């Protein structure tokens, strides 16, 4: 008899289980194994360990305090991809088992498609899916009485006569902003790349309803400082012109979905016209 573990099914299942369970925060592998053991799944021993090892080796999980593990940024992205794959597979399995209620295949995204506030290319669409999945997780926790949060978007609108130079400046500014986010904004924030020229920040309110606006102001100052420094110190960047826009909104029950929240912040960002275009001679 071939056990499911021998075909890789058990390992694939436990990869999904680990990625989903750790979305709420760091946990100890032993506690997760004890929890899933109560399900009495027909999987051979060892699959849980193989799944855990593959996620650690791939950089999807990182060691945490008290012998625990936590999701990395790559792990958050992989969780979104795994959920989409299993959402596509499960209806077919149910049909083979005779469940007629699963005849209609659901969409890959359970809540709603990503917001259409712009038309990203393939790379940007992948990054936006990661952000969307993170917003959905925070929103689900807040709905259940958990910690409320704020979403902040900041965008560096940059122009240069050389397309390659413009892209290099944007990449440098985004990397510096994301890399120094913890020191600038606090260790409890999560930062994401938003499109080609934007940064998104998810931060718990912690009793401060105006935290989103304050983070927006800090991001605006940081991006402006980076653009000014690059343009003044690197000869190839001379002649660049830029404008920084930012907006932050705290989640409320009036914003029932992740798409509604993203639309609200993006609309606030589009209305941000007070920042003039800047240049360094």
């Amino acid at each position: 008899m071939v056990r499911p573990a021998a075909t890789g099914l058990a390992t694939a299942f436990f990869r999904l289980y680990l990625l989903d369970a750790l979305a709420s925060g760091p946990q100890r592998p032993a506690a997760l194994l004890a929890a899933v053991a109560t399900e009495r799944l027909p999987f051979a021993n060892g699959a849980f360990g193989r799944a855990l090892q593959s996620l650690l080796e791939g950089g999807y999980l990182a060691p945490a305090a008290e012998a625990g593990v936590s999701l990395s940024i790559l792990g958050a992205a992989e969780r979104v991809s795994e959920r989409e794959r299993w959402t596509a597979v499960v209806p077919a399995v149910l049909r083979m088992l005779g469940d007629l209620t699963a005849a209609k295949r659901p969409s890959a995204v359970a809540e709603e498609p990503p917001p259409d506030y712009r038309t990203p290319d393939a790379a940007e669409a992948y990054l936006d899916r990661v952000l969307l999945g993170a917003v959905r997780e925070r929103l689900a926790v807040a709905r259940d009485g958990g910690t409320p949060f704020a979403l902040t978007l900041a965008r560096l609108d940059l122009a240069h006569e050389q397309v390659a130079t413009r892209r290099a400046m944007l990449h440098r500014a985004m990397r510096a902003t994301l890399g120094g986010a913890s020191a600038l904004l606090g260790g409890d924030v999560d930062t994401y790349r938003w499109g080609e020229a934007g940064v998104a920040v998810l931060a718990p309110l912690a009793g401060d309803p105006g935290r989103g606006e304050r983070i927006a102001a800090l991001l605006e100052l940081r991006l402006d400082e980076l653009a000014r420094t690059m343009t003044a110190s690197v000869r190839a960047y001379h002649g660049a012109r830029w404008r920084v826009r930012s907006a932050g909104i705290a989640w409320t029950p009036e914003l029932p979905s992740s798409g509604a929240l993203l639309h609200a912040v993006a609309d606030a960002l589009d209305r941000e016209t007070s920042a003039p275009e800047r240049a360094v001679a």
Side-chain angles (χ1 to χ4, degrees), residues 228-259:
R228 187 178 300 276
T229 301
M230 285 188 294
T231 307
S233 60
V234 181
R235 179 177 300 178
Y237 296 162
H238 288 181
R241 302 181 308 278
W242 72 91
R243 182 179 65 172
V244 183
R245 296 176 292 154
S246 63
I249 291 182
W251 173 81
T252 64
E254 287 72 29
L255 298 169
S257 67
S258 55

Side-chain angles (χ1 to χ4, degrees), residues 156 158 164-180 193 196-197 199 222-223 225-238:
L156 174 61
L158 192 146
T165 301
R166 173 183 173 275
R167 290 177 177 172
M169 292 183 70
L170 285 175
H171 176 72
R172 187 170 175 177
M174 295 300 105
R175 184 176 59 184
T177 303
L178 294 171
R193 184 78 176 263
E196 180 191 25
V199 175
R222 176 59 172 162
L223 288 170
E225 176 190 23
L226 288 169
R228 187 178 300 276
T229 301
M230 285 188 294
T231 307
S233 60
V234 181
R235 179 177 300 178
Y237 296 162
H238 288 181

Side-chain angles (χ1 to χ4, degrees), residues 1-16:
M1 177 180 178
V2 178
R3 300 296 299 272
T7 65
L9 174 61
T11 303
F13 170 81
F14 283 122
R15 280 176 61 92
L16 173 66

Side-chain angles (χ1 to χ4, degrees), residues 111-112 115 132 139 249 254-267:
E111 184 180 344
E112 59 188 31
L132 188 63
L139 193 144
I249 291 182
E254 287 72 29
L255 298 169
S257 67
S258 55
L261 179 59
L262 280 166
H263 274 300
V265 185
D267 290 343

Side-chain angles (χ1 to χ4, degrees), residues 45-271:
N45 297 329
F48 183 90
R50 284 192 295 272
L52 178 63
Q53 183 178 359
S54 69
L55 291 173
L56 286 169
E57 291 176 350
Y60 303 114
L61 302 183
E66 299 180 356
V69 290
S70 62
L71 279 185
S72 64
I73 295 177
L74 286 175
E78 181 67 9
R79 178 178 177 272
V80 174
S81 299
E82 284 282 356
R83 287 172 64 90
E84 290 180 353
R85 285 192 285 268
W86 280 87
T87 301
V89 168
V90 167
V93 174
L94 293 177
R95 285 197 299 271
M96 286 187 285
L97 295 176
D99 189 342
L100 299 179
T101 61
K104 183 178 180 181
R105 178 176 172 175
S107 61
V109 179
E111 184 180 344
E112 59 188 31
D116 57 356
Y117 47 84
R118 66 180 177 280
T119 56
D121 59 19
E124 292 177 13
Y126 175 76
L127 294 172
D128 287 346
R129 287 210 322 271
V130 175
L131 172 60
L132 188 63
V135 173
R136 284 175 176 164
E137 292 172 8
R138 291 284 188 121
L139 193 144
V141 172
R143 281 178 184 157
D144 292 338
T147 304
F149 66 99
L151 171 63
T152 300
L153 299 180
R155 181 177 178 84
L156 174 61
D157 297 317
L158 192 146
H160 194 279
E161 61 182 8
Q162 298 293 330
V163 175
T165 301
R166 173 183 173 275
R167 290 177 177 172
M169 292 183 70
L170 285 175
H171 176 72
R172 187 170 175 177
M174 295 300 105
R175 184 176 59 184
T177 303
L178 294 171
S182 296
L184 179 67
L185 307 175
D188 59 345
V189 303
D190 292 325
T191 56
Y192 303 88
R193 184 78 176 263
W194 177 57
E196 180 191 25
V199 175
V201 177
L202 288 170
L205 294 182
D208 181 7
R211 191 180 186 191
E213 290 82 354
R214 273 188 282 279
I215 288 177
L218 288 172
L219 283 177
E220 190 167 331
L221 290 173
R222 176 59 172 162
L223 288 170
D224 180 68
E225 176 190 23
L226 288 169
R228 187 178 300 276
T229 301
M230 285 188 294
T231 307
S233 60
V234 181
R235 179 177 300 178
Y237 296 162
H238 288 181
R241 302 181 308 278
W242 72 91
R243 182 179 65 172
V244 183
R245 296 176 292 154
S246 63
I249 291 182
W251 173 81
T252 64
E254 287 72 29
L255 298 169
S257 67
S258 55
L261 179 59
L262 280 166
H263 274 300
V265 185
D267 290 343
L269 192 73
D270 290 339
R271 293 193 297 269

